[in-house]
Amino acid sequence: MLSRLFSDVLPDVQRLAAGGWVEDSASEDSKTKDECHLGEDEMDDSETRASSSRADSEMAGDDDDDDDDLDEEEEEGGGDENSGDKPKKRGPKKRQMTPARAERSKVRRQKANARERTRMHDLNSALDNLRKVVPCYSKTQKLSKIETLRLAKNYIWALGEILRNGKRPDVVSYVQTLCKGLSQPTTNLVAGCLQLNTRNFLTEQCTDPSRFHVPSSPFSAHPYPYPCSRLASPHYQGGSGGLNLRSHAYGPGYEAVYPPGGGSPDYSSPDYEAPHSPPVCHNGALSNRPQDSDTDRNYHYSMHYSGLTTARAPATHSLPFGPPGARLGGAHSENIPPFHDVHTHHDRAPPYEDLNAFFHN
DNA sequence: TAGGCCATCTGGTCCT
DNA sequence: AGGACCAGATGGCCTA
């Protein structure tokens, strides 16, 4: 099953790596405005516009040239740079910038700029494709580049954990893995994509961890060797509304646990990242209420991955983590981003159905 | 208004 | 020489 999953995903990954993903309408939407009004035809214009303005200022007096041969001859004999009182410079003699040479340099620079632009567009296109295959995708609330990479890293890590452990992880660990190192807005978005109220299920878990199956989680069997730099940051101020994956999830002093199969720290793990990430901004975006109702709380205890199978019918936008038949949208909608255009990428990634089945009991 | 994110230009370095 | 890649600088846009 999982082998089929990866056999399905692998070509896409390869296409991603090659940057050869066929753009669809969604990617068109995700183009930046600059890219949008910068069609292929206009690229040259803008390129000329942008670089020429600068080049023109640099090359004052750069009139249309000229006789290259003549210039070359001049350059060959151009040893007059050190003709003054100044000490001779070492190294290759700097050729005199003749108008012809300046023109060639300008053209070369313009071509280099165009190539660089194309290269960056390709890179952005690949990033757009990556945005579509990570577990959260929104046309309007596009993940930033860095957040996309972080989420992708976490996603790969989570899938690897599933393969290593051969069983489905608990929802808490899964979401925590996905959100590790992500900014608060992105955490909200991911939680929203998974239709989770992150604050609720985490705080409740803190209140009564025994009601979750976290201790038996494949992710929680070992001490977490890769403290999240954000959550461990001194800048972090755990608030009532914030998502505190450390203390809220497992209680004070309990580190979230996402070990590899073994017990020894694996610093090659994607969870290990140099502590360069900015601190999480716990601005209460996850929660507007000090405490939720028991109804809301109880809902979280019955969360399962089963809802992810709604990916088969994305138009319904049903909430995936509720008890069968439960409607959860209104109760939690204030804590999660607007989802009319937010969905898991699995809506369009059939292989994830296998994963859903895997999560299913 | 500050900060985050982004696109673009640019010069340097390495490789072919 | 030219292309690919990279990182720094810069300015624009957006949001809190």
Side-chain angles (χ1 to χ4, degrees):
Chain A
M1 173 190 63
L2 283 176
S3 61
R4 187 166 71 88
L5 184 154
F6 276 84
S7 67
D8 287 343
V9 169
L10 196 55
D12 291 344
V13 174
Q14 290 169 338
R15 269 181 293 174
L16 267 178
W21 198 290
V22 177
E23 293 292 329
D24 58 13
S25 59
S27 71
E28 291 296 322
D29 292 336
S30 62
K31 279 188 176 179
T32 65
K33 43 189 176 302
D34 284 342
E35 291 168 336
C36 286
H37 64 66
L38 247 182
E40 289 300 321
D41 315 337
E42 297 170 295
M43 284 263 298
D44 292 335
D45 292 343
S46 69
E47 157 194 335
T48 305
R49 182 186 63 237
S51 56
S52 66
S53 60
R54 191 170 291 121
D56 288 347
S57 61
E58 290 173 355
M59 322 281 184
D62 179 16
D63 45 354
D64 285 338
D65 304 275
D66 224 343
D67 189 351
D68 282 4
D69 294 335
L70 176 61
D71 295 328
E72 295 296 336
E73 288 175 5
E74 290 175 355
E75 289 150 10
E76 291 298 330
D80 54 350
E81 288 184 358
N82 299 324
S83 59
D85 295 337
K86 298 175 184 176
K88 288 185 177 179
K89 291 180 182 176
R90 293 186 176 184
K93 292 179 181 176
K94 199 173 184 180
R95 289 185 167 183
Q96 189 179 14
M97 184 59 81
T98 65
R101 181 172 297 279
E103 179 65 23
R104 282 196 298 271
S105 174
K106 173 181 162 185
V107 170
R108 211 167 39 235
R109 190 63 255 173
Q110 287 176 348
K111 287 170 67 179
N113 289 346
R115 282 195 305 271
E116 178 68 7
R117 252 196 320 270
T118 301
R119 196 179 68 88
M120 295 310 296
H121 288 171
D122 289 346
L123 185 61
N124 290 336
S125 176
L127 263 171
D128 277 340
N129 292 331
L130 185 59
R131 285 187 181 99
K132 295 170 193 168
V133 298
V134 294
C136 181
Y137 179 73
S138 167
K139 285 182 183 177
T140 59
Q141 200 171 344
K142 205 168 77 168
L143 290 178
S144 70
K145 294 178 178 179
I146 184 67
E147 294 291 86
T148 300
L149 293 175
R150 285 176 178 145
L151 179 57
K153 177 200 72 175
N154 294 343
Y155 184 44
I156 292 170
W157 175 249
L159 293 179
E161 280 304 299
I162 293 170
L163 283 178
R164 273 189 288 275
N165 293 292
K167 59 180 179 179
R168 70 175 181 90
D170 64 281
V171 61
V172 176
S173 293
Y174 180 66
V175 176
Q176 286 175 341
T177 301
L178 289 183
C179 295
K180 189 172 299 300
L182 301 183
S183 68
Q184 188 67 36
T186 307
T187 297
N188 293 348
L189 189 64
V190 172
C193 286
L194 297 176
Q195 298 292 338
L196 288 176
N197 183 320
T198 49
R199 181 184 73 88
N200 288 342
F201 80 80
L202 289 174
T203 53
E204 283 308 318
Q205 194 180 28
C206 177
T207 303
D208 187 1
S210 64
R211 299 182 68 178
F212 282 88
H213 50 289
V214 169
S216 63
S217 162
F219 291 157
S220 60
H222 307 279
Y224 175 49
Y226 326 112
C228 170
S229 58
R230 291 168 180 268
L231 296 175
S233 164
H235 301 286
Y236 168 68
Q237 299 171 352
S240 61
L243 170 59
N244 185 341
L245 295 180
R246 291 174 61 195
S247 60
H248 283 190
Y250 299 105
Y254 197 103
E255 291 280 341
V257 176
Y258 304 90
S264 59
D266 176 10
Y267 294 101
S268 63
S269 152
D271 283 335
Y272 179 74
E273 195 172 28
H276 57 268
S277 300
V280 167
C281 301
H282 287 268
N283 52 12
L286 274 173
S287 171
N288 298 330
R289 294 181 295 180
Q291 186 57 269
D292 284 322
S293 68
D294 289 338
T295 306
D296 290 346
R297 271 183 253 156
N298 292 336
Y299 148 61
H300 294 293
Y301 294 127
S302 57
M303 285 188 300
H304 293 292
Y305 288 93
S306 58
L308 286 176
T309 56
T310 56
R312 290 180 179 277
T316 62
H317 290 282
S318 60
L319 293 160
F321 286 98
R327 283 205 54 185
L328 305 159
H332 304 294
S333 58
E334 80 274 26
N335 287 338
I336 51 183
F339 304 126
H340 54 276
D341 63 332
V342 180
H343 51 82
T344 69
H345 82 273
H346 320 303
D347 292 355
R348 65 182 72 193
Y352 197 77
E353 292 173 1
D354 288 344
L355 193 57
N356 295 338
F358 189 75
F359 283 139
H360 254 332
N361 281 327

